[in-house]
Amino acid sequence: MHRFFRPRRMLRDAKQPLLWTAGQLCLNHKPVVACVRGYIVLPPTNDEEEKAMLHRMMRVDHAGEYGANQIYAGQMAVLGQTQISPLIQEMWDQEKQHLSKFNEILAENRVRPTLLLPLWNIAGFALGAGSALLGKEGAMACTVAVEESISEHYNSQIRTLMEKDPEKYTKLLQLIKEFRDDEMEHHDTGLEHDAESVPGYQLMKAIIQAGCKAAIYVSERL
Amino acid sequence: MAALIRGLKAGRALRGLRSVAVQGTLSPQCNNVRRGFHRAALLRLASDSKSDTSVPPPSYHEVHTAGESSSSSAQGESSEGAQSNTSFQDQSGEHGEDYETEEQLQARILTAALEFVPQYGWTVETIAAGAETLGLSSASTGMFNNGAGDLVLHFIAQCNAQLAETLAEQNNLVQLGQAESKKTAEFLKDAVEMRLRMLIPYIDSWPQAMSILLLPHNIPDSLKHLSTLVDDIWYYAGDRSTDVNWYTRRAALTGIYNTTELVMVQDSSPDFEETWAFLDNRIKDVVNMANTAKQVQATGEAVVQGLMGAAITLKNLTGMNQRR
């Protein structure tokens, strides 16, 4: 019963004066002395191509975290009352943190979010709920597959940035590495909790990873 | 000091080369030939003036970037050029920096051309008139592959940049606490009105400009400018959304802006009062729709909770909830 009375957190995006003010002050006066966000993740650039590349990267990462958030939401919706629920909740909270970080970056740098967000909303929730219906092992298998895809994606982004200019992108690399490590941790947690014992594990993993690859490809372009 | 004067003379001579009237039309193939002439002329000037270090670098830049006007003999033109070139130095304002890029030159010509729009409309003649006020020949319109489209797009870009600057200034004042922040609807209305007022001097010929923007090869650029405009307005209105609202808000504002623009070109009321009233109503509509959507969502949630409560009550009444 309590589940239905949980208040919804409405993100009033037009009224975040404190953070926004601090952000504006940060951007206007560098170096920064007293600022809520002590650093800028994306290096400011005038090169259009580089800006487009960085925006594309942030767009697809944001879409990825948004989808992951919805997957865990779907899993909790089905398995919320079982023994595995604290674990899934913990992993979900970390994904929520990642998502809010990317929301910050997108807002700060005026990056356009991907047009397919409503699709990832529904698809993520459906994937999470569907895999959770196969039981705890199904949910863990889904987690393993998705986290592996995301880690691979973050790794290729790290490689791209390192090839271009490691010093310039230090903050961004640090952020992506941190997130990648979190996702690897989720992956390992999933394996620890009998992900591989679900029937049809290999098939399920292949399908989910193919879906993730397609989602990444499309989100980069749209 | 002597080297500096020599450098200035070389720079002035090069500008003279640019202003020489060209026989026939300029074409892309001619540009390379012209650049070759330019470099030959330049080398001759450099060797004649015998300055070794100061002259070549800045002049080389100019050769690279200025692509028009030809000369058969550099020497003949340089004296002619020296007379008619003080206007360039005045306009550029700097004596040391005697080069500008082609884009900057194009921008200057187009800005100068804007004052002739009421007279000639949005056409190549306007650009030619603008070029002539800068002391260039009217054949330099050949630089503009898109003709009148270039002029309209330049004007739009200029207006958008001006608007963004004004909005940024207002934003700064609000951040510093020296001004009150406006509510979203009021902010949008003021921003769109400010932007549309920039059209007033050209409003009679604006339908011509709009039709030029609808030409297929101009559509991508005009859409890009429109999307930048709408994004800027929403950003300074405080929109930091990162979900589908990003798209719905910008789509709504694009609709408002385009329809208000259309109303404005056929509005004959004093100071376009009808246009601003129309704008006001459209923004109210959008705000109403947003509020209605929120209310519908809240009602929906309440209904769902009510139904779940009823279902559980039913289960309790029929005894299905008890442990067996």
Side-chain angles (χ1 to χ4, degrees):
Chain A
M1 187 71 177
H2 63 275
R3 213 192 314 166
F4 306 121
F5 284 74
R6 191 181 301 154
R8 274 279 205 95
R9 253 194 28 226
M10 304 279 262
L11 289 169
R12 310 281 309 286
D13 29 20
K15 308 277 186 243
Q16 291 184 13
L18 177 61
L19 224 58
W20 185 30
T21 310
Q24 287 296 104
L25 287 175
C26 294
L27 291 172
N28 286 336
H29 314 292
K30 309 176 212 189
V32 163
V33 175
C35 179
V36 174
R37 281 192 299 286
Y39 58 89
I40 296 172
V41 174
L42 291 194
T45 171
N46 279 329
D47 179 16
E48 285 303 319
E49 231 178 80
E50 187 187 345
K51 202 164 105 159
M53 178 204 77
L54 288 172
H55 281 208
R56 206 170 29 238
M57 285 173 68
M58 290 299 105
R59 186 174 309 134
V60 70
D61 287 347
H62 173 256
E65 294 297 343
Y66 187 84
N69 191 38
Q70 289 302 111
I71 291 177
Y72 283 118
Q75 288 186 348
M76 277 304 279
V78 174
L79 294 173
Q81 310 291 341
T82 63
Q83 276 183 337
I84 197 72
S85 103
L87 181 69
I88 300 183
Q89 182 67 43
E90 191 193 317
M91 296 200 283
W92 190 14
D93 288 336
Q94 277 187 322
E95 298 294 349
K96 283 199 199 135
Q97 260 181 12
H98 291 186
L99 181 62
S100 75
K101 183 70 197 162
F102 278 121
N103 276 335
E104 245 179 65
I105 295 179
L106 255 66
E108 225 173 72
N109 294 285
R110 298 178 62 171
V111 180
R112 172 180 68 88
T114 171
L115 186 55
L116 301 166
L117 281 179
L119 178 61
W120 303 146
N121 192 342
I122 300 176
F125 195 89
L127 177 62
S131 63
L133 286 174
L134 294 173
K136 154 194 162 221
E137 293 81 13
M140 291 295 120
C142 171
T143 303
V144 164
V146 171
E147 299 294 5
E148 199 176 302
S149 290
I150 292 192
S151 304
E152 210 179 289
H153 168 68
Y154 279 150
N155 275 335
S156 75
Q157 284 192 340
I158 292 173
R159 268 194 293 273
T160 314
L161 291 174
M162 294 286 270
E163 273 165 28
K164 282 200 189 294
D165 191 346
E167 273 94 51
K168 194 167 168 199
Y169 300 116
T170 337
K171 291 279 183 302
L172 182 57
L173 276 170
Q174 201 180 347
L175 182 83
I176 298 185
K177 281 184 189 160
E178 195 189 310
F179 286 4
R180 185 229 22 217
D181 293 340
D182 287 341
E183 309 292 2
M184 286 308 307
E185 206 185 297
H186 293 177
H187 171 263
D188 297 336
T189 310
L191 282 177
E192 274 168 35
H193 286 84
D194 309 322
E196 286 160 333
S197 64
V198 72
Y201 171 70
Q202 291 298 338
L203 180 64
M204 188 174 156
K205 187 165 168 213
I207 296 178
I208 293 179
Q209 289 195 327
C212 285
K213 277 207 189 68
I216 289 174
Y217 181 86
V218 171
S219 291
E220 263 177 356
R221 280 148 188 81
L222 221 49
Chain B
M1 186 62 190
L4 181 63
I5 293 176
R6 258 180 257 131
L8 285 173
K9 277 207 197 114
R12 258 189 240 139
L14 239 97
R15 286 209 198 88
L17 290 172
R18 275 215 309 252
S19 77
V20 166
V22 180
Q23 317 284 333
T25 55
L26 304 169
S27 67
Q29 294 88 1
C30 288
N31 276 348
N32 292 329
V33 178
R34 245 170 271 126
R35 283 208 183 96
F37 275 133
H38 239 173
R39 282 201 199 104
L42 169 65
L43 286 170
R44 221 185 312 170
L45 278 174
S47 64
D48 282 353
S49 52
K50 283 201 189 110
S51 65
D52 32 0
T53 49
S54 57
V55 176
S59 319
Y60 196 60
H61 256 287
E62 250 196 343
V63 169
H64 264 296
T65 54
E68 70 282 9
S69 93
S70 75
S71 67
S72 46
S73 134
Q75 299 294 59
E77 264 64 20
S78 54
S79 52
E80 204 181 291
Q83 297 163 330
S84 60
N85 270 325
T86 45
S87 58
F88 287 128
Q89 272 191 337
D90 292 341
Q91 282 185 353
S92 72
E94 296 164 323
H95 285 274
E97 303 250 336
D98 51 6
Y99 61 89
E100 65 174 352
T101 63
E102 189 168 329
E103 283 97 34
Q104 284 172 337
L105 176 65
Q106 286 186 348
R108 274 204 302 139
I109 296 179
L110 292 176
T111 311
L114 285 177
E115 69 176 270
F116 296 97
V117 167
Q119 195 178 353
Y120 300 114
W122 300 91
T123 57
V124 185
E125 282 92 41
T126 324
I127 306 181
E132 271 163 9
T133 56
L134 291 183
L136 301 171
S137 91
S138 60
S140 45
T141 58
M143 248 201 304
F144 301 100
N145 293 327
N146 203 1
D150 275 336
L151 183 59
V152 181
L153 289 171
H154 169 82
F155 174 64
I156 288 188
Q158 206 180 37
C159 288
N160 290 351
Q162 216 177 319
L163 179 72
E165 216 179 283
T166 316
L167 291 180
E169 270 168 31
Q170 283 180 0
N171 190 29
N172 268 341
L173 290 179
V174 171
Q175 296 296 332
L176 296 173
Q178 290 171 10
E180 291 292 315
S181 77
K182 301 183 192 167
K183 299 181 76 74
T184 311
E186 197 192 324
F187 184 95
L188 295 179
K189 177 176 183 306
D190 288 340
V192 174
E193 184 179 330
M194 197 187 316
R195 174 62 177 80
L196 287 175
R197 277 191 184 275
M198 296 182 195
L199 299 180
I200 291 182
Y202 310 97
I203 196 71
D204 294 323
S205 53
W206 194 246
Q208 185 191 13
M210 282 168 67
S211 62
I212 291 175
L213 286 177
L214 284 176
L215 293 173
H217 55 269
N218 284 330
I219 287 186
D221 282 326
S222 76
L223 283 181
K224 195 162 60 94
H225 285 305
L226 182 60
S227 61
T228 319
L229 169 71
V230 169
D231 187 35
D232 280 339
I233 295 182
W234 266 119
Y235 177 75
Y236 289 113
D239 175 47
R240 298 286 180 279
S241 53
T242 52
D243 53 2
V244 81
N245 275 326
W246 194 96
Y247 288 93
T248 52
R249 285 178 184 180
R250 279 152 185 73
L253 188 57
T254 309
I256 293 175
Y257 179 82
N258 282 337
T259 48
T260 314
E261 196 184 6
L262 285 173
V263 166
M264 192 172 170
V265 286
Q266 50 81 53
D267 184 10
S268 52
S269 59
D271 195 35
F272 300 93
E273 287 162 356
E274 278 177 21
T275 309
W276 312 136
F278 177 86
L279 174 62
D280 208 22
N281 287 335
R282 293 293 76 68
I283 292 189
K284 280 209 184 79
D285 285 345
V286 165
V287 167
N288 271 342
M289 269 201 304
N291 285 340
T292 312
K294 269 195 212 140
Q295 280 178 357
V296 163
Q297 194 183 18
T299 311
E301 279 173 16
V303 164
V304 162
Q305 284 198 6
L307 285 176
M308 298 309 295
I312 290 178
T313 311
L314 212 58
K315 268 168 80 176
N316 284 338
L317 286 177
T318 56
M320 275 171 21
N321 240 4
Q322 293 179 17
R323 293 245 188 99
R324 302 266 164 87

